[in-house]
Amino acid sequence: MIARRSRLLSGLMTAVFLMVFTGLAVADDAPFPGKQSEWHGFDRYDFEVDGKPVLVVAPKQAAPGKPWVWHGEFFGHKPAPDIALLERGFHIVYMRVPNMFGSPKAIAHWNAFYDELTGKYGFAKKAALVGLSRGGLYCYNWAAANPDKVACIYGDAPVCDFKSWPGGKGKGKGSPRDWKLVLEVFGFENEAEALAWPHNPIDSLEPLAKAGVPLLHVYGDADDVVPWDENTGIIAERYRKLGGSITLIDKPGVGHHPHGLEDSTPIVQFIARHASVPQPPEYRPVAAELVRPRDGLGNVLNKLEQGEPVRIAYLGGSITAAPGWRVQTRDWFRSEFPEAEVEEIHAAIGGTGSDLGVFRLEHDVLQHRPDLLFVEFAVNDGGAAPERIWKAMEGIVRQTWAEDPRCDICFVYTFRVGYENDLREGHCPRAASAMELLADHYGIPSINMALKVVDLEQAGKLIFKSDEPTPEAVIRFSKDGVHPLDEGHRIYTDVIAGAIRQMEATSEPLDHQAKLAVPFVADHWQAATTVPVTQEILSGDWKRLDDDNPLARRFQNRMGPLWEGTEPGSRLTFRFRGSTAKLYDLLGPDGGQVIITVDGKRREKPVPRFDSYCTYHRIATLTVADGLDPHEVHTVTVEIHPEQPDRSPVAFRLQDPETELKSPKYQGTNVRVSRILVLGEVLND
């Protein structure tokens, strides 16, 4: 009896165990809680978030990154686009907060739903918003408060101003019942307060334009409920003035109904293009070609051929800073197009790569309104990982076209000793290969001058590096294997001239704006910017260098006003919202070292503003913060350390290091800085 009872108890415990843990397994496997049902052949889940009913329709197989569509109102009406997007792996979601008209209370509920979907269920950080009719108020008001969380907005006869509907203060019918609800839910004391409210969608477009959120509106031009010219029309006019992108699809003679399109393909393609989550590109070596025209240089060539004024910018390192191919190609353009006035924008700084170029682009290039931008960083980016190159180079591309979508860009690849190994095998070196993959994505033409140098060397017509003159008919390319002599620069110029002539035959004027819709990498550095250092963020012994100071004369034209701190304990403090911050400063023989503190955490070791090249002063950057939460505000303090850095790394460059390192030239705790470079924004207290 005891044995039987023991076996029974054991079996019962086993059954309970299996029931509990099997139940847990089932619960864990269920993608969402709540009631499960079927919607057009897909699983639908109804549950609650923040005390409000929500629903999620799941695809059979989620697309990479879990892209999703969020309806403001009227889920299920005209479902064709949703069904097509579900088949592409999108999730479709809706939160039921009716009669709240995109009010602050509704936005708070939406925030909770967004946090639940992205935090708990791993949805993409950016949603495609669908605002049908009054749903436009929900979508646009939430988007204006969260522009960095929006992939795109599709508005279908959307309400964009509650004065138009339900207010009926224009030519539309209005809805007295709903207008009364608007006054109540927004907490307005009277109608006058509602009419003066400055935060309707038509008033709140600037954050979306700055974030580059693309819009699509479908509307009937006979709509007498939500008149298009009081809603969509105003949105389109204002958004375009702000530099935003909006596509309009007009339905002639159609009123507020029916919504949607008979063929929903344009809607589906718009959302799929803008809300699909870009997958990180994979690096691969790219076959080397002398010229890849891609989309060409149609805008600048058209202006040159018409004899119009043209500005050509040269962004690069010391190879471009030298008076070689930069000056020679400028003169070639002038001689080839004598009717055009060709002006040069010199934006090259020796020893710098694209990681600085992206920050100084606005100051050094874009404010001068270029028509053509040559980008030369293939040598100075040679030691950088492809992922870093993509972030910076894409930032350069996107900043340029966001400022002027008719400015043409051309990547040029120069040579240094060591690159011949890859080029002889038929492919670009790593930096140029990374740039080629980016150029393919954006249709940017590229010119590989390094390939020509290697071809000439293999033919016995060139020597890469020599201190001595070469035999007759053999080109001495350089003395150091990097910086061309005049004959080397002439090779670069001839290759570029030939490439331009080749592109003349196929290039057409083109607006590059549409290319910005889909980024190459999600974490590109388009947000890179600079702000000048000012007295307000400095404490201790700092002074602005006079214009006649030798260092100011050498560097201010490029860096802006220079501030010099000499005394230990002197500080520079600023706050910023973003992920990365750097200082634009000088290294030099009398450079000191600094203590860096970020959000109260002090770096273990001081950072010297001196290195093994510091027999002279040169431009540099100091990374003070990196990899931070881009949405949070961070505080940075940079303090001059009381001790000089170790000067011995430069000793091998000196004839008598023991004596020279004791000279005044190599003494001091000096820090010289001009600007703050940030991925984000510097905040003014």
Side-chain angles (χ1 to χ4, degrees):
M1 176 68 74
I2 293 175
R4 180 183 175 190
R5 189 179 303 165
S6 176
R7 289 195 300 271
L8 180 62
L9 181 60
S10 176
L12 181 61
M13 291 177 65
T14 301
V16 171
F17 180 90
L18 289 172
M19 287 173 64
V20 170
F21 284 90
T22 302
L24 286 175
V26 170
D28 285 345
D29 289 342
F32 303 98
K35 177 185 175 183
Q36 182 176 345
S37 59
E38 182 267 343
W39 189 82
H40 292 279
F42 296 91
D43 290 337
R44 168 175 166 167
Y45 301 86
D46 287 82
F47 53 105
E48 283 194 358
V49 172
D50 203 32
K52 296 297 179 181
V54 302
L55 67 86
V56 175
V57 183
K60 305 292 185 185
Q61 177 67 46
K66 283 195 174 180
W68 52 299
V69 174
W70 192 350
H71 283 266
E73 273 290 13
F74 308 115
F75 166 78
H77 185 67
K78 296 289 185 179
D82 288 337
I83 295 170
L85 289 163
L86 282 162
E87 292 171 348
R88 292 179 179 229
F90 278 67
H91 285 77
I92 311 296
V93 312
Y94 171 61
M95 181 179 223
R96 182 171 170 75
V97 282
N99 298 325
M100 296 187 76
F101 303 98
S103 64
K105 291 180 180 178
I107 300 312
H109 289 307
W110 271 45
N111 287 339
F113 193 26
Y114 173 88
D115 291 342
E116 183 90 354
L117 292 174
T118 57
K120 186 173 182 179
Y121 298 106
F123 278 29
K125 297 301 183 183
K126 293 188 176 185
L129 306 183
V130 175
L132 190 153
S133 192
R134 72 181 68 183
L137 292 172
Y138 294 84
C139 292
Y140 272 104
N141 289 348
W142 187 81
N146 300 277
D148 58 331
K149 300 173 183 175
V150 182
C152 60
I153 301 175
Y154 158 48
D156 192 313
V159 178
C160 304
D161 183 354
F162 60 42
K163 298 190 296 295
S164 174
W165 188 95
K169 304 306 177 182
K171 59 186 182 183
K173 296 177 180 179
S175 171
R177 172 188 171 276
D178 290 308
W179 181 235
K180 183 180 179 181
L181 289 173
V182 166
L183 301 185
E184 291 176 1
V185 76
F186 277 84
F188 296 130
E189 293 186 1
N190 51 52
E191 183 175 85
E193 187 177 344
L195 295 177
W197 197 63
H199 301 297
N200 270 288
I202 60 170
D203 307 311
S204 306
L205 295 170
E206 187 173 357
L208 301 179
K210 283 185 176 180
V213 177
L215 313 179
L216 168 66
H217 279 211
V218 174
Y219 64 96
D221 62 10
D223 191 337
D224 61 355
V225 178
V226 183
W228 80 273
D229 52 342
E230 297 174 4
N231 294 274
T232 287
I234 295 175
I235 289 278
E237 180 184 4
R238 294 182 179 180
Y239 205 57
R240 286 167 176 161
K241 284 183 179 179
L242 290 167
S245 171
I246 180 170
T247 301
L248 302 180
I249 299 179
D250 175 20
K251 298 186 291 187
V254 175
H256 194 60
H257 296 280
H259 288 286
L261 298 172
E262 290 186 9
D263 178 2
S264 61
T265 300
I267 300 167
V268 174
Q269 289 181 339
F270 173 80
I271 293 175
R273 178 173 186 182
H274 296 290
S276 295
V277 180
Q279 296 306 295
E282 292 186 5
Y283 171 79
R284 58 177 173 79
V286 176
E289 294 186 17
L290 196 64
V291 182
R292 289 184 184 266
R294 296 189 178 92
D295 289 343
L297 303 173
N299 297 316
V300 68
L301 287 171
N302 183 62
K303 293 188 74 171
L304 288 165
E305 289 163 359
Q306 297 298 320
E308 299 177 24
V310 163
R311 295 185 182 92
I312 301 176
Y314 296 83
L315 180 68
S318 57
I319 295 171
T320 300
W325 76 271
R326 169 178 53 82
V327 174
Q328 292 170 8
T329 55
R330 178 204 65 196
D331 292 344
W332 178 86
F333 277 109
R334 288 174 175 172
S335 63
E336 192 76 5
F337 302 95
E339 300 300 317
E341 180 182 335
V342 178
E343 181 182 340
E344 171 198 333
I345 302 170
H346 180 355
I349 300 178
T352 66
S354 62
D355 57 336
L356 174 57
V358 67
F359 285 98
R360 61 186 183 86
L361 183 69
E362 174 62 38
H363 181 269
D364 291 355
V365 176
L366 298 184
Q367 68 167 331
H368 303 295
R369 307 294 297 170
D371 299 288
L372 171 60
L373 171 61
F374 284 112
V375 184
E376 176 270 312
F377 287 122
V379 166
N380 286 358
D381 278 359
E387 292 76 13
R388 206 282 291 147
I389 293 173
W390 289 331
K391 293 176 185 179
M393 291 290 286
E394 184 166 16
I396 291 170
V397 171
R398 295 183 69 87
Q399 282 188 43
T400 300
W401 285 342
E403 184 98 1
D404 181 4
R406 302 195 73 83
C407 176
D408 291 329
I409 301 174
C410 183
F411 292 172
V412 293
Y413 309 138
T414 50
F415 175 81
R416 70 167 172 83
V417 168
Y419 281 1
E420 68 274 14
N421 299 323
D422 290 317
L423 290 164
R424 284 170 181 164
E425 294 177 2
H427 56 259
C428 297
R430 186 174 68 169
S433 286
M435 294 174 189
E436 283 288 81
L437 294 170
L438 179 67
D440 272 340
H441 179 81
Y442 283 106
I444 296 170
S446 59
I447 305 172
N448 196 336
M449 298 102 77
L451 180 60
K452 183 66 174 180
V453 172
V454 172
D455 287 347
L456 288 171
E457 191 272 343
Q458 287 188 295
K461 298 179 180 179
L462 178 145
I463 293 176
F464 293 140
K465 174 183 174 181
S466 176
D467 289 326
E468 303 298 328
T470 55
E472 188 176 350
V474 176
I475 297 169
R476 180 166 61 136
F477 177 74
S478 73
K479 291 183 178 181
D480 61 3
V482 178
H483 300 92
L485 299 170
D486 187 65
E487 285 184 290
H489 277 291
R490 179 53 58 186
I491 293 170
Y492 287 176
T493 300
D494 289 344
V495 172
I496 292 171
I500 301 297
R501 292 191 185 100
Q502 179 180 335
M503 283 186 266
E504 278 187 88
T506 58
S507 296
E508 296 289 340
L510 179 65
D511 187 323
H512 300 291
Q513 177 70 41
K515 299 179 182 179
L516 300 180
V518 180
F520 185 63
V521 294
D523 53 351
H524 56 72
W525 290 355
Q526 184 177 353
T529 188
T530 74
V531 296
V533 170
T534 60
Q535 182 71 64
E536 289 73 22
I537 66 172
L538 301 172
S539 61
D541 179 40
W542 292 90
K543 66 177 181 179
R544 177 175 166 176
L545 296 184
D546 295 333
D547 292 344
D548 59 355
N549 180 282
L551 292 177
R553 288 202 305 269
R554 284 180 59 193
F555 297 109
Q556 259 187 188
N557 184 53
R558 182 69 69 215
M559 301 178 70
L562 276 164
W563 291 85
E564 180 181 73
T566 59
E567 293 297 322
S570 297
R571 293 183 174 187
L572 180 155
T573 303
F574 65 95
R575 296 166 63 248
F576 79 105
R577 180 182 288 108
S579 62
T580 300
K582 305 181 182 186
L583 296 183
Y584 199 17
D585 69 345
L586 293 180
L587 298 182
D590 59 349
Q593 51 188 352
V594 295
I595 306 162
I596 299 171
T597 303
V598 179
D599 295 336
K601 297 179 181 178
R602 177 169 168 163
R603 198 175 293 186
E604 289 185 4
K605 296 181 179 180
V607 182
R609 308 317 295 140
F610 175 92
D611 64 15
S612 63
Y613 293 93
C614 280
T615 58
Y616 59 93
H617 291 89
R618 74 179 195 278
I619 291 174
T621 61
L622 168 62
T623 299
V624 295
D626 194 23
L628 304 180
D629 185 334
H631 306 299
E632 295 296 321
V633 175
H634 308 284
T635 301
V636 176
T637 299
V638 179
E639 179 181 339
I640 300 179
H641 193 273
E643 298 178 3
Q644 294 190 103
D646 178 16
R647 307 288 186 195
S648 62
V650 80
F652 75 100
R653 299 183 185 277
L654 307 178
Q655 292 184 349
D656 183 3
E658 186 174 348
T659 301
E660 292 182 58
L661 289 178
K662 295 177 182 177
S663 69
K665 176 180 178 179
Y666 289 97
Q667 306 305 309
T669 55
N670 301 297
V671 174
R672 301 175 180 96
V673 60
S674 67
R675 305 180 76 83
I676 301 169
L677 317 179
V678 295
L679 288 175
E681 61 175 331
V682 175
L683 304 176
N684 296 318
D685 291 326

